[in-house]
Amino acid sequence: MSYKLFLSHSSKDEKVVNAFVSFMYKIGLTEKDIVCSSVPETKIAIGNDIYAYLNQLISDENIYAIYFLSDNYYASPVCLNEMGAVWLRKADSLSILLPGFDFNDVQGVVERNKVGIKLGTCDNMTKAAFNEFLKILNDKFGIHPNQTHWENARDEFLNLTLENNRKFNMAFARSYCIDDLENDGCKIIKKESNQEKITAIINFEKTESKLCSIVVFAECLCQ
């Protein structure tokens, strides 16, 4: 029984989705296994009616759908139509939440309490979730990458999404009012703490701006 990996996403999130497709290629999937409109070799061919193609795909193929959920996704009628069509087909699916989007934001026919994967972190919980996802890929697509190859490809993808998150999303940063901090030269220390748990070394030599706020990033890259 052959499967297709159907990637339902907003075109505005294509950077992460393209990186995910590259990730899939590295662990053994091919363009014949994937349907993704943002990648040239897996997109719907010119001349096809998009909705007719999707209806046929969902009706005739055994698909495993991945929803790349974000604010962009829920603002797209096409994405919501895809979600509804997959749900009606009762196809197996997985929700991947893009950085800045939380489980509480999940709406529509995708159940909020259904376990998915949240991007934007690279901790052991996220790695373990992707390890479970690999078991699904093994079962449906028959791929068996060796452990080292899998871990390298997985962590490369997670680090890429984390880096993108750091550049554009403040959800994984902690902010403090200036009254909660002490300035000891160029060292910023949280008040009322016997230990210097939260510090930041800041160089003020090239600015004349007055200190008004501090943001401390709380995530680290995979090791």
Side-chain angles (χ1 to χ4, degrees):
M1 180 184 295
S2 61
Y3 274 83
K4 289 278 190 182
L5 190 66
F6 175 52
L7 308 185
S8 178
H9 67 285
S10 166
S11 59
K12 294 181 180 179
D13 297 322
E14 65 178 15
K15 182 176 180 180
V16 173
V17 177
N18 287 351
F20 182 83
V21 172
S22 296
F23 171 31
M24 294 295 97
Y25 286 165
K26 290 175 183 176
I27 62 170
L29 268 70
T30 70
E31 63 272 12
K32 294 180 180 179
D33 299 317
I34 300 172
V35 177
C36 176
S37 59
S38 291
V39 177
E41 64 270 23
T42 63
K43 71 179 183 65
I44 300 170
I46 292 175
N48 282 316
D49 180 277
I50 295 175
Y51 293 109
Y53 179 88
L54 289 177
N55 284 334
Q56 183 177 356
L57 173 71
I58 294 170
S59 299
D60 297 344
E61 298 278 358
N62 294 303
I63 67 166
Y64 186 78
I66 299 182
Y67 308 111
F68 289 85
L69 300 182
S70 67
D71 289 329
N72 294 327
Y73 189 96
Y74 281 101
S76 168
V78 173
C79 290
L80 296 180
N81 285 338
E82 292 174 356
M83 179 188 290
V86 172
W87 179 77
L88 286 172
R89 178 68 169 78
K90 294 181 171 57
D92 293 335
S93 64
L94 171 70
S95 295
I96 294 183
L97 282 62
L98 271 60
F101 197 80
D102 204 352
F103 288 105
N104 291 331
D105 299 320
V106 175
Q107 307 172 43
V109 297
V110 175
E111 297 178 7
R112 187 175 298 181
N113 61 349
K114 188 175 181 180
V115 177
I117 301 176
K118 181 174 171 56
L119 299 180
T121 59
C122 193
D123 55 15
N124 289 334
M125 288 292 291
T126 309
K127 292 180 182 180
F130 268 95
N131 291 344
E132 292 183 34
F133 174 54
L134 175 60
K135 294 177 182 178
I136 295 173
L137 294 177
N138 288 343
D139 180 58
K140 297 187 182 304
F141 295 94
I143 59 169
H144 299 279
N146 68 59
Q147 189 68 18
T148 300
H149 186 68
W150 159 252
E151 291 178 355
N152 288 340
R154 178 199 64 195
D155 292 353
E156 181 181 358
F157 172 70
L158 290 176
N159 278 324
L160 185 149
T161 61
L162 177 58
E163 192 167 313
N164 188 60
N165 178 56
R166 283 181 162 178
K167 289 179 180 177
F168 300 108
N169 175 27
M170 300 297 287
F172 293 91
R174 297 171 183 166
S175 60
Y176 301 92
C177 295
I178 199 64
D179 289 340
D180 294 334
L181 303 167
E182 293 178 344
N183 182 358
D184 180 16
C186 284
K187 182 179 290 185
I188 305 301
I189 305 172
K190 192 177 188 299
K191 286 183 180 179
E192 302 175 351
S193 175
N194 295 328
Q195 298 180 347
E196 296 181 5
K197 293 183 178 179
I198 304 174
T199 64
I201 306 302
I202 302 175
N203 184 354
F204 296 104
E205 294 179 356
K206 296 184 180 181
T207 179
E208 297 179 358
S209 301
K210 294 182 179 180
L211 184 63
C212 60
S213 63
I214 294 294
V215 174
V216 181
F217 286 96
E219 298 298 326
C220 60
L221 295 175
C222 287
Q223 299 297 325

